[in-house]
Amino acid sequence: MSAPGGEVYRIDWLPGTDVLHGTCHCGAEHTGDDPVGMWEWMLAHPDGHLPPEGGTAR
């Protein structure tokens, strides 16, 4: 999914599991088994998650 500002949000399903792996446009990553919770985490940017070491939240 791409937002109007060009940000890319990605959620991948880990085959053989019920686990979803999300990557925010800032580089932060999150795993979980609830699709709604995953999107809430993604769209709460920058509240609720931090980018990887050395990165900056936009």
Side-chain angles (χ1 to χ4, degrees):
M1 176 178 185
S2 185
E7 295 94 2
V8 175
Y9 299 87
R10 175 181 214 121
I11 296 178
D12 296 309
W13 165 67
L14 301 177
T17 72
D18 291 335
V19 177
L20 300 171
H21 179 259
T23 305
C24 181
H25 66 85
C26 74
E29 296 179 328
H30 181 69
T31 57
D33 61 358
D34 176 26
V36 173
M38 182 66 71
W39 279 110
E40 287 173 346
W41 174 84
M42 288 263 189
L43 299 175
H45 194 274
D47 299 327
H49 65 271
L50 299 172
E53 285 288 322
T56 58
R58 294 187 218 172

